[in-house]
Amino acid sequence: MAQPTRARPVPTPETQHFWDGTRRGELRLQRCTACARSYFPPRPFCPACGSRKVEVYAASGKATLYSYVIHHRPAPGFTPPYAIAVVELAEGPRMMSNIVDCPQTPEALELDMPLDVVFEALDETITLPLFRPAKG
Amino acid sequence: MRPREIAVVGAAETTRLGVIPDMSQIELHADAALNALADAGLKPGDIDGIATAVETPQQIAHYLGITPTWVDGTSVGGCSFMLHVRHAAAAIAAGYCTTVLITHAESGRSGIGRPPRQVAPDSLAGQFEQPYGPMGPPSLFPIPVLRYMKTYGTTHEQLAMVAVVQREWAALNPRATFREPITVDDVLNSRMIAYPFRLLQCCLVTDGGGALILTSADRARDLPQKPVYVLGTGESVETPMVSQMESFTSSRAFRVAGPTAFREAGISHADVDHLMIYDAFAHLPLYGLGDLGFMPHADTGPFIAARQTAIGGKLPLNTNGGGLSYMHSGMYGMYALQESVRQMRGTAPAQVKGAKISVAHGVGGMFAASGTVVFTNEA
């Protein structure tokens, strides 16, 4: 029997570009061409001003650790303890993710530490953006 | 609705609270409703407005034999009942109905007749939160708290004191689930659930329910209970995804709902004799004290650590023991409202002497929603 895996996202027409991006190693955000604001999660209009004139672009993949919990209970696809984090992207929006290549401890997980995106394929269609401590 | 135009005339919880494996969720609704009707001296036929959450209004109306002219199925999480009070007060004032029954019940512990809670994998939360391993509220609700602590200098000990102080209140309450005293060390040595929160900083999981009956202040005069008047109310929603909150050091929904209710009631913070802040987890009273404007956020941890919300303190808070010690079936807002009503009737086990104004502030769906109700016992 297959090991239980983490919850698998199912894209919708409005989010497909994001998941197409991660599969190609790109973290795609959207930005409003009217008010220039970047936003997340995906939707085909700007949540700040309501304009439908928006564009998809590749974010830098740079972020900082904004907040987290370290979960100590069992979860499918995870070995506790593991951090459930929210990162703040250099472009402004925040997103939930996991922090990899890093001990899952309060000492190692310092708020505001710089992070870089990495991509982890769940299967042929879904790749998740995860983050690791920035090098150097 | 004008202040004091609408009153709570019936209020009751289920006969039992805790572990009730011999009753389904809908029967817990009915038990609470029948207790509230008896409390108000009314029959199901006297009810012409119905509000509930999670279960549908049609289910509760049919089960109880009620023919409503007004229904409200607002279901925004554990504070839904604060919103129901607000909507019911407006509906009665508008003449859509005369007497509203609000019910809550949840077989949160035993899971009898309770539909499973699931996040759809193609919802935004299903796509952009669930893959990272959250397993319900204990892993999601505390996500902002480390940022709060870093911003305001709140300490682990202060967050432990929330649980300690509420256990002291619970010790006075025969219906509270946990009544044994605990210390800060007990809290900080209890089992880690989701750092920074340990077991004693997380709410209980129990079975139970509660119901409220509201009518006009005029009709309230002919009913047996001392009326508890609705002075002001507020509501708002922000986001179903905790990761997408505008701020991690404040709740936008709190900042809308709370001040709206205070303005409508025409009260200042110094007028509040008794306060309930929905405490599914230990950080919520701190967010509430700050966002409702009682004090700057940086002072909330020290205020609680200095025992100002404890017995004999300046601002009695969560006097039933709260979600941390009294009970928590999954949607605790109803129990906060019940305690406010008891305090205004003068019948609470840990009665605040001479209390004239009580505020019940709720949160729902993590920080997705909020509702605030200001009550008074003065006509």
Side-chain angles (χ1 to χ4, degrees):
Chain A
M1 206 174 89
Q3 291 295 307
T5 55
R6 57 168 96 202
R8 186 184 178 281
V10 173
T12 58
E14 297 80 21
T15 65
Q16 189 62 52
H17 69 266
F18 180 87
W19 298 111
D20 289 345
T22 54
R23 209 169 61 230
R24 293 172 177 82
E26 260 184 26
L27 184 66
R28 291 181 182 169
L29 288 177
Q30 285 169 299
R31 114 185 110 203
C32 175
T33 56
C35 76
R37 201 184 123 127
S38 286
Y39 63 87
F40 178 85
R43 70 207 91 168
F45 60 92
C46 170
C49 75
S51 167
R52 293 174 191 263
K53 294 193 176 116
V54 298
E55 61 187 9
V56 174
Y57 71 102
S60 64
K62 297 204 173 304
T64 54
L65 181 56
Y66 194 65
S67 204
Y68 64 90
V69 295
I70 303 173
H71 199 223
H72 283 248
R73 299 163 78 216
F78 289 86
T79 308
Y82 63 96
I84 306 166
V86 172
V87 305
E88 186 165 88
L89 301 175
E91 292 78 10
R94 296 187 196 123
M95 61 187 295
M96 191 173 281
S97 191
N98 299 122
I99 310 301
V100 296
D101 300 339
C102 180
Q104 304 290 290
T105 63
E107 294 72 31
L109 293 164
E110 243 185 281
L111 292 199
D112 302 314
M113 67 194 276
L115 304 166
D116 288 324
V117 72
V118 291
F119 295 97
E120 183 171 306
L122 279 192
D123 53 35
E124 309 82 66
T125 53
I126 295 292
T127 293
L128 291 178
L130 306 179
F131 289 81
R132 68 169 178 224
K135 299 244 160 74
Chain B
M1 184 209 74
R2 296 187 311 277
R4 299 182 177 81
E5 189 180 2
I6 308 299
V8 175
V9 294
E13 294 171 352
T14 43
T15 309
R16 288 173 286 156
L17 296 175
V19 186
I20 315 172
D22 55 317
M23 287 171 82
S24 68
Q25 186 158 297
I26 194 165
E27 183 53 28
L28 290 167
H29 275 262
D31 183 48
L34 294 173
N35 286 345
L37 285 164
D39 181 66
L42 295 172
K43 298 270 180 258
D46 298 318
I47 301 296
D48 60 0
I50 183 102
T52 194
V54 178
E55 298 288 352
T56 57
Q58 58 267 42
Q59 197 151 15
I60 303 303
H62 177 254
Y63 198 65
L64 286 166
I66 288 166
T67 304
T69 60
W70 174 86
V71 300
D72 181 11
T74 301
S75 193
V76 292
C79 63
S80 297
F81 318 102
M82 279 82 175
L83 279 72
H84 293 157
V85 168
R86 184 167 210 248
H87 302 171
I92 296 166
Y96 293 162
C97 53
T98 64
T99 311
V100 172
L101 170 69
I102 303 171
T103 71
H104 156 70
E106 200 158 357
S107 182
R109 177 98 189 181
S110 304
I112 311 295
R114 181 200 196 209
R117 289 187 179 191
Q118 278 169 341
V119 181
D122 56 357
S123 66
L124 290 177
Q127 293 182 67
F128 299 110
E129 288 194 339
Q130 288 304 115
Y132 305 108
M135 296 293 287
S139 53
L140 283 169
F141 225 148
I143 281 181
V145 74
L146 285 181
R147 178 55 57 179
Y148 190 96
M149 293 171 76
K150 178 164 179 171
T151 303
Y152 299 122
T154 314
T155 66
H156 292 283
E157 288 73 18
Q158 289 165 357
L159 284 162
M161 269 301 276
V162 175
V164 170
V165 165
Q166 291 194 195
R167 186 59 65 84
E168 293 172 9
W169 284 113
L172 303 179
N173 190 340
R175 270 167 70 87
T177 305
F178 290 137
R179 303 180 62 199
E180 289 298 308
I182 50 172
T183 64
V184 166
D185 281 348
D186 291 336
V187 177
L188 296 180
N189 290 317
S190 63
R191 184 158 54 90
M192 187 67 85
I193 300 295
Y195 175 86
F197 281 166
R198 294 171 180 272
L199 183 65
L200 293 175
Q201 292 166 307
C202 303
C203 66
L204 305 165
V205 183
T206 48
D207 304 324
L212 292 171
I213 298 171
L214 281 79
T215 191
S216 65
D218 286 346
R219 285 172 53 90
R221 272 193 279 278
D222 302 327
L223 295 170
Q225 297 296 342
K226 173 178 173 173
V228 174
Y229 302 97
V230 179
L231 207 50
T233 58
E235 67 186 296
S236 193
V237 294
E238 185 182 351
T239 167
M241 302 168 75
V242 72
S243 64
Q244 298 306 314
M245 289 173 73
E246 208 170 78
S247 165
F248 274 25
T249 57
S250 166
S251 156
R252 192 186 78 193
F254 282 19
R255 294 198 315 275
V256 175
T260 302
F262 275 64
R263 255 196 320 278
E264 194 175 292
I267 61 162
S268 72
H269 295 89
D271 298 324
V272 177
D273 301 310
H274 170 253
L275 178 61
M276 298 297 292
I277 299 177
Y278 189 136
D279 60 319
F281 297 91
H283 58 322
L284 294 171
L286 281 67
Y287 280 77
L289 287 171
D291 284 338
L292 265 56
F294 282 96
M295 63 199 69
H297 278 290
D299 296 346
T300 59
F303 187 77
I304 286 170
R307 308 185 53 79
Q308 296 293 358
T309 60
I311 299 159
K314 257 190 234 167
L315 186 56
L317 171 70
N318 294 345
T319 49
N320 59 354
L324 298 181
S325 286
Y326 179 61
M327 84 85 69
H328 195 298
S329 53
M331 298 175 78
Y332 170 81
M334 175 56 81
Y335 308 96
L337 290 164
Q338 294 286 337
E339 175 66 6
S340 280
V341 170
R342 284 191 293 265
Q343 288 286 348
M344 291 296 91
R345 287 178 173 183
T347 60
Q351 181 62 42
V352 176
K353 253 197 168 154
K356 294 186 176 69
I357 290 184
S358 173
V359 175
H361 177 72
V363 64
M366 278 29 91
F367 283 102
S370 184
T372 311
V373 180
V374 183
F375 292 108
T376 185
N377 49 20
E378 290 189 314

